Amino acid sequence: MNIPSGFRFSTAQCGFKRPGRADLALVVSDAPAAAAGVFTTNRFQAAPVLVAREILAASPAGIRALVVNSGQANACTGQEGIDKCRATLELLGALGLKPAEILPASTGVIGDQLKMDLWELGVPSLRDNLGRVGLVDVARAVMTTDTFPKIAAREVALGSGTVRLAGFCKGAGMICPNMATMLGFILCDAGVDPAWWQAALKRCVDRSFNAITVDGDTSTNDCVLALANGAAAPAAGADLEILEEALLEICQDLAYMIVQDAEGGTRVMRVNVSGAASMADAQLAARAVGNSPLVKTALYGRDPNWGRIVAALGRSGASFTPEAVVVRIAGLTIFRQGTPVKADWDSLLASALRRDTVDIDIELGAGGAELTLLASDFTEEYIKINAEYRT
C-alpha cells in the first residue's frame, strides 16, 4: 500500500479495556499539516471532540499529530474528562509534540474517566514504536467491536507531481448519519489551503459517512480528521478537483466498510432514492427505510416485504403522492401506482436477497433530488453484542 510521505505511526498496549492488545494509536506528521475536521452533532459531545475542535479552530495549518485511544470514550465526563484529555496531550511532550499541535479522539464505553496511570505507562511505548509500525497497526488499535481494520488508499497524478492519500476508520455499531458516526482519519501528502481542505472534507463526508446507517444511533464521539502535510507536491487550481475526487473515493470506501462490518450484520442494503422534492426529503425517505428495524430484519430474513418499505416511506415526513411511488428490489419493480406488482417474489428474488449487497430503488415522483444511503440488516448477533458491550 502506498502511504503518504512524511507520516509515521505508533501504537501501544495500555489495557484500557482489556490487556494484550494495542489500544492507543499515534500518527505523526514530520511537518506541520493543514488540518480539517467534522464532528458529531450529538449534544453530548465527548471531551476529545471539544478539545479537538478548540485546537483545530486555533491552528488549522499547524497540526503535527493525531492520538486515538479505544476502550474509553471519555464522554459525559464533565470538566474532569476535558482536563484529563488535555493532560494526555501534555504527556506526548515526551515525543517532542506540543499539545496545541495534536488532535485527540477516543472511542469506547461512555461515562468512564480516562485511566491516566495507564496512559503514563503507554507513552514510552509510543515513543519507542514510532516509525516501527504501519497503517494497519494503527487501524487495529482503534477498533472496538470492529472485526477487521478498515483502510483505503489512493495515488493521484497532479500537474505538480504525484500525491498519495490514505485513510483508516473504526465503526460497526452506534452508526447513523448525522455528521460521521464513527472515527475516521485521512492522511495526504499534498500541500493545500486549510480553508479549502476543510470545505472539501465536509463535502466528501456528506456523500459518504453521512450516508450510512447501522442502527440509528449517533455517537457522542464522532469525528473525521484529515491532515495534509505538503511533503509531496502542492495542489491548486484544477488539481484540487482531482484531489477532492480521490478524497471522496477514500471516504466512500471506508463508509462502505463500516456498513459491511456492521455489528452482527450479514449484508448491505443500498437505498437509492430519486425523484424527491428536495435533498432534505430524499434524506428523510432514505433514512426512514434504512433505519427501519422491520425493513432491516426482513433483509436479514431474505423476505421481499415491500409493505415494510412503503410503510417507512409513508411515515418519513417526505412529500410525495403515494400513487407516484415506485419501489424496486434488486432491479425488479415490486410496487407502483399505490399497489404491488403481482408475482412470485419469494422465488424471483430468492437469489438476489442472498447477495452481500441488495439494492432498494425508490422513485418518489415529486422532483429531481436523489440520494444513496448504505444500511445494514439486523440480526440476533447485533442484540448479543450490544447486550454484552460493557461486560
Side-chain angles (χ1 to χ4, degrees), residues 277-278 280-286 288 310-320 364:
S278 65
D281 273 4
Q283 291 174 343
L284 287 172
V310 298
L313 289 174
R315 64 169 170 76
S316 67
S319 299
F320 58 84
L364 296 181

Side-chain angles (χ1 to χ4, degrees), residues 10 67 82 116 132 160 187 237 240 256 266 270 294 360 362:
S10 184
V67 63
I82 293 174
M116 296 306 296
R132 297 180 179 179
S160 55
L187 310 175
L240 294 178
Y256 181 88
T266 65
R270 185 183 287 114
L294 294 178
I360 295 179
I362 299 165

Side-chain angles (χ1 to χ4, degrees), residues 33-37 56 59-62 191-201 226 228:
L56 184 61
S59 183
V192 297
D193 173 71
W196 177 85
W197 189 233
Q198 175 65 48
L201 179 66

